[in-house]
Amino acid sequence: MAKDSNNFDYLVVGLAEFFRQNHNYPYPDLLQHACNKLALKMTATPYPRTLEGLFSLLGKPLLTWYPLEIPKEFDPDFGLIYDRALSEEASQYLYEQLLERAQLPEFASTIVKQIALENFQFQRLLERLQEVNDEDAKRSQQEYVLLRRFLIENKFTTHEQLSKVFSKTRYISTEEVGELYEDCKPHEPYWCCDYCGALVEKYGKLRGIKPSICNDHRKQLPHVHRISWQPGLRQIERGIHWRVSLPGIPEICLFQKLEKLHQEYPEYLCDVQLWPGIDRYDLKLHFGDESVWGVDIKDYRNPYDLAPKLTQIYSEGNLRHDKSFYVIPNHHLRRREDYIKILREESLHLPESTSLLSDVAFEERVVAQIIQLSQGK
Ligand SMILES: [Zn+2]
């Protein structure tokens, strides 16, 4: 007998399949199964008689009606559906949480297999670069940064661009990077946001996949672009977008700000490295007094999701650091004032010496360090 929390997983996966097959019959088995169980357990609210009614219910905050167990990684203030598509919260749960359980036999669902496969293709490249890192550290590191930045900065690409960028790489082939993208449909209009990627037009408005962080997509804005279809146009696979591109955006933003400080004050902030040791952590800062800071950026809306993932930041060999920081994009802290407090209390495997703070506060710490060093001279 399936546990109640499995029923929630079936519901999310079943809905994702249903939307991917463009709302056609038959309903995916998992959706059918999950709804049957729901119908049995619903007593306070009557189970809807029509599909329209069911969709309206699934769009409401789960807290207000869902009769079974809700996994703690899902914020019950949200619904599963928004605007006849999977809600942002449900998509995030699908791409970031469910994948870890994708090997389980009950998830022999096409959509979960596909997400797992996309992720596997990226992992395979990552592992290959890590393997050659000992003998060819410089080259493998360069190629890793090239690949990861490309996936963050190019939500759309063409075969031509791929061959140009990856023509001289030693450990990654153009074809392998191409597998992380899918073909676009010919002559369809495409829109892209610099921050959150491909946009979908609904009721004359453009919408991204993460409205909680990026929700202004008027067509005249500088970060909103129309992508003209051309032969060979490809867009990033959704799983790669969720797991690699989106979390990479705050990493690149902070890196660019620190790079600017490095250029202005190179004798105090001597070097900023992105993803050192092939992503052992996100940023390594060298200061003029030879101290080194190690930084990991974590883009999680819910501190309870993040807390179990926080451990001591890697600090061996030439990746050693004197101070370590977990940095959270500020918009999460604005939404939830006790974010850092919860994170500190819930992260049981994290040493006290590792600081937890927002990206804004971290930048201020770096500036304060630069000022202190400049006054010490
Ligand atoms: Zn956007």
Side-chain angles (χ1 to χ4, degrees):
M1 184 84 182
K3 286 197 317 212
D4 285 0
S5 58
N6 286 352
N7 204 67
F8 180 87
D9 293 352
Y10 295 166
L11 193 56
V12 172
V13 174
L15 284 169
E17 289 197 327
F18 179 71
F19 290 123
R20 209 172 256 206
Q21 71 188 31
N22 288 324
H23 314 199
N24 287 329
Y25 293 97
Y27 297 152
D29 287 349
L30 285 175
L31 182 60
Q32 196 68 59
H33 176 98
C35 287
N36 289 348
K37 177 134 189 203
L38 213 50
L40 284 176
K41 292 282 173 156
M42 280 178 66
T43 46
T45 323
Y47 185 79
R49 288 161 179 271
T50 61
L51 185 65
E52 216 44 57
L54 178 64
F55 276 14
S56 152
L57 182 69
L58 292 169
K60 292 185 178 138
L62 294 196
L63 197 66
T64 61
W65 66 274
Y66 191 76
L68 300 164
E69 187 189 335
I70 304 170
K72 64 179 184 350
E73 296 87 1
F74 187 92
D75 185 342
D77 282 338
F78 292 85
L80 293 169
I81 294 183
Y82 182 77
D83 227 358
R84 299 193 76 85
L86 214 54
S87 70
E88 174 184 343
E89 188 71 21
S91 299
Q92 183 160 338
Y93 183 81
L94 174 69
Y95 290 111
E96 294 173 16
Q97 300 292 334
L98 270 180
L99 187 75
E100 283 157 34
R101 276 167 271 161
Q103 276 73 17
L104 298 178
E106 67 256 37
F107 277 115
S109 135
T110 37
I111 194 161
V112 173
K113 271 193 203 147
Q114 194 182 336
I115 299 166
L117 185 67
E118 289 160 15
N119 188 55
F120 171 73
Q121 281 160 345
F122 179 74
Q123 289 300 323
R124 200 178 48 180
L125 292 177
L126 174 68
E127 278 163 25
R128 186 184 311 149
L129 291 168
Q130 279 167 339
E131 272 166 30
V132 294
N133 192 233
D134 281 344
E135 66 220 45
D136 192 357
K138 197 169 164 209
R139 188 74 185 250
S140 57
Q141 176 68 21
Q142 270 172 359
E143 294 192 4
Y144 178 72
V145 173
L146 182 75
L147 171 67
R148 183 107 177 246
R149 273 195 92 149
F150 188 87
L151 296 174
I152 295 167
E153 290 168 353
N154 298 278
K155 282 92 177 178
F156 288 85
T157 190
T158 57
H159 185 72
E160 209 181 351
Q161 186 190 19
L162 286 168
S163 337
K164 216 181 205 171
V165 176
F166 297 96
S167 64
K168 295 203 173 65
T169 45
R170 187 178 295 164
Y171 302 112
I172 313 169
S173 73
T174 307
E175 290 69 34
E176 286 171 319
V177 185
E179 282 173 17
L180 305 174
Y181 288 81
E182 61 186 271
D183 285 330
C184 290
K185 290 196 194 97
H187 310 293
E188 293 264 322
Y190 284 96
W191 290 87
C192 184
C193 166
D194 287 343
Y195 307 117
C196 65
L199 303 170
V200 180
E201 190 157 6
K202 273 195 176 159
Y203 314 116
K205 269 187 154 183
L206 294 173
R207 212 181 71 221
I209 63 168
K210 224 171 175 183
S212 68
I213 55 159
C214 193
N215 203 19
D216 190 358
H217 296 119
R218 283 168 291 155
K219 292 178 180 173
Q220 68 274 25
L221 288 170
H223 62 271
V224 176
H225 310 281
R226 200 194 150 99
I227 310 282
S228 313
W229 187 81
Q230 53 170 298
L233 183 68
R234 298 173 75 78
Q235 71 171 314
I236 199 154
E237 297 273 10
R238 269 180 273 192
I240 299 295
H241 190 191
W242 270 99
R243 296 180 64 94
V244 182
S245 310
L246 279 178
I249 292 169
E251 297 166 8
I252 294 284
C253 281
L254 185 59
F255 172 71
Q256 286 169 337
K257 285 177 186 160
L258 297 171
E259 260 292 297
K260 219 169 146 220
L261 285 171
H262 159 64
Q263 276 153 18
E264 280 174 57
Y265 308 101
E267 68 271 50
Y268 306 122
L269 178 55
C270 311
D271 188 27
V272 183
Q273 275 176 35
L274 193 55
W275 307 309
I278 315 211
D279 205 26
R280 286 292 193 167
Y281 47 91
D282 290 333
L283 293 166
K284 186 175 169 213
L285 282 67
H286 288 244
F287 289 97
D289 61 353
E290 299 199 339
S291 63
V292 176
W293 292 6
V295 183
D296 232 0
I297 297 147
K298 295 289 183 195
D299 189 10
Y300 283 69
R301 178 155 70 183
N302 184 346
Y304 290 100
D305 282 356
L306 174 56
K309 299 192 160 62
L310 298 188
T311 51
Q312 185 156 21
I313 296 178
Y314 188 86
S315 184
E316 305 284 320
N318 56 8
L319 297 177
R320 187 201 58 81
H321 43 75
D322 306 292
K323 278 187 182 171
S324 55
F325 302 83
Y326 276 110
V327 170
I328 320 294
N330 202 39
H331 55 84
H332 295 308
L333 277 59
R334 277 204 308 264
R335 229 187 119 254
R336 189 163 195 164
E337 275 176 23
D338 54 356
Y339 191 112
I340 296 285
K341 186 171 165 278
I342 295 172
L343 201 55
R344 177 58 76 189
E345 284 169 3
E346 297 288 319
S347 52
L348 305 173
H349 308 290
L350 186 69
E352 281 288 320
S353 58
T354 301
S355 304
L356 303 173
L357 72 188
S358 76
D359 49 356
V360 176
F362 180 74
E363 218 188 317
E364 285 167 7
R365 284 280 275 276
V366 174
V367 170
Q369 173 78 353
I370 290 173
I371 292 171
Q372 201 186 345
L373 290 173
S374 70
Q375 286 167 348
K377 280 212 168 175

